[in-house]
Amino acid sequence: MPTPHEAEKQHTEPEEADQPPSMSSDAAPPAAPSRNPCCLCWCCCCSCSWNEERRRAWRASRESKLQPLPSCEACAPPSPEEVQSWAQSFDKLMHSPAGRSAFREFLRTEYSEENMLFWLACEELKAEANQHVVDEKARLIYEDYVSILSPKEVSLDSRVREGINKKMQEPSAHTFDDAQLQIYTLMHRDSYPRFLSSPTYRALLLRGGSQSSNEA
């Protein structure tokens, strides 16, 4: 016959065995959650809930913060001389609202419209003086055109991307200057020559010639 001490031990052992290991009295308390260190930078790996909330806010305000380029119909019709000047230099094309609109339409046919949109967004950012607005627009630009998660990501080399990630800790109106220059150069060397030989540009030249003939 078991002694009272043995009976008490047999009674308590199953209860202890039923307890999961994590609930034992010797287990250390769970560590307090800490903020993901990637929140301190703007690299594309960040997926913490804090950043997700910011992303949703930026996307919700995208339409009001970054205005799209006007369509060709919204721009004043270019004169024949202006259309011809676009073939003289890429700078003249990009400094013309109608030229940018026509070039953007061409880029859309080549599935590279994001290059023009990124360049325009950077121009808008550089014209902004309010630091709070600069901070928000810079993050919108990053989300739309620099993040590898974006379908509108532009082609930037690793050096430029690394520089942007560092600057995004304290964004300024010139955070994307190097990237903007790289995309400008890409459009100049790659897309601009094809634009000048495209049906889009030839149609504008013919339209300008018809206008000159009618005026004569």
Side-chain angles (χ1 to χ4, degrees):
M1 180 175 182
T3 65
H5 177 73
E6 292 174 340
E8 180 181 358
K9 184 177 180 181
Q10 292 176 355
H11 177 72
T12 57
E13 280 180 346
E15 294 181 358
E16 293 175 353
D18 290 342
Q19 294 179 354
S22 60
M23 297 298 293
S24 64
S25 59
D26 295 334
S34 59
R35 175 172 292 184
N36 192 325
C38 71
C39 292
L40 301 178
C41 69
W42 282 97
C43 58
C44 304
C45 66
C46 190
S47 59
C48 62
S49 59
W50 179 86
N51 221 27
E52 288 300 324
E53 292 175 1
R54 294 287 295 178
R55 286 173 178 167
R56 285 195 292 269
W58 302 332
R59 282 193 289 266
S61 61
R62 177 186 304 163
E63 294 300 325
S64 61
K65 296 302 180 182
L66 295 179
Q67 298 299 325
L69 181 69
S71 64
C72 291
E73 290 76 14
C75 298
S79 66
E81 292 76 19
E82 183 178 3
V83 174
Q84 293 173 4
S85 72
W86 298 344
Q88 297 174 9
S89 74
F90 186 58
D91 287 343
K92 289 186 177 181
L93 172 69
M94 293 294 284
H95 280 86
S96 164
R100 292 194 301 267
S101 184
F103 188 49
R104 174 180 167 183
E105 291 299 322
F106 169 76
L107 292 176
R108 184 175 297 170
T109 66
E110 294 200 333
Y111 304 99
S112 58
E113 182 186 13
E114 65 276 2
N115 290 333
M116 174 65 79
L117 296 176
F118 172 70
W119 187 87
L120 289 168
C122 292
E123 286 293 290
E124 181 181 342
L125 178 66
K126 289 192 293 187
E128 183 58 59
N130 185 302
Q131 183 57 44
H132 176 74
V133 178
V134 165
D135 183 79
E136 185 173 0
K137 284 187 176 182
R139 285 167 168 76
L140 277 168
I141 292 172
Y142 187 96
E143 276 293 302
D144 280 347
Y145 303 109
V146 180
S147 171
I148 62 174
L149 303 176
S150 172
K152 296 187 293 184
E153 177 197 3
V154 296
S155 179
L156 301 172
D157 63 36
S158 58
R159 177 189 62 83
V160 171
R161 285 183 178 277
E162 183 179 354
I164 291 175
N165 287 334
K166 292 179 180 178
K167 293 175 183 177
M168 283 302 295
Q169 297 180 36
E170 295 182 9
S172 73
H174 298 279
T175 292
F176 301 98
D177 281 3
D178 290 343
Q180 185 186 22
L181 177 60
Q182 190 169 96
I183 295 302
Y184 185 91
T185 303
L186 175 65
M187 291 190 294
H188 184 191
R189 295 178 178 176
D190 186 53
S191 302
Y192 175 60
R194 291 196 299 272
F195 168 73
L196 295 180
S197 59
S198 69
T200 300
Y201 184 63
R202 288 201 300 269
L204 290 170
L205 286 174
L206 291 174
R207 187 185 307 169
S210 300
Q211 290 178 352
S212 299
S213 300
N214 294 334
E215 291 174 358

